[in-house]
Amino acid sequence: MKSKIGIVIIDDNELDLMIAERLIAKVDSSLNVKTFSSIKATHSWLDEDDTDFFAQKVVFFIDIYLSESNGFEAVHEIL
């Protein structure tokens, strides 16, 4: 059964990604979580047809201080 909420985390720090993913899993293990260390990787994934992940709602957590751009620019790129 698909979760009704999907979580996407974008952060250039691998440790922060791991901690966030584990904390979310502890809160609700049924949530679908995807992590990315760059905006480019996120773009590639969004261009794919990942029907196993997408849910009714998707929440993005984006680091404000990314190495390739800032979080605000990333939001504009994703949208």
Side-chain angles (χ1 to χ4, degrees), residues 45-72:
W45 174 72
L46 287 170
D47 289 340
E48 297 173 7
D49 188 21
D50 190 359
T51 55
D52 289 336
F53 176 81
F54 285 108
Q56 291 178 355
K57 296 180 183 179
V58 178
V59 178
F60 283 80
F61 291 98
I62 304 173
D63 183 15
I64 295 298
Y65 301 108
L66 295 168
S67 57
E68 60 191 42
S69 66
N70 68 43
F72 299 109

Side-chain angles (χ1 to χ4, degrees), residues 21-41:
E21 188 173 20
R22 287 187 181 182
L23 285 172
I24 291 168
K26 284 188 182 248
V27 171
D28 187 348
S29 61
S30 70
L31 294 174
N32 291 327
V33 179
K34 288 278 190 182
T35 60
F36 299 98
S37 59
S38 72
I39 296 301
K40 289 180 185 180

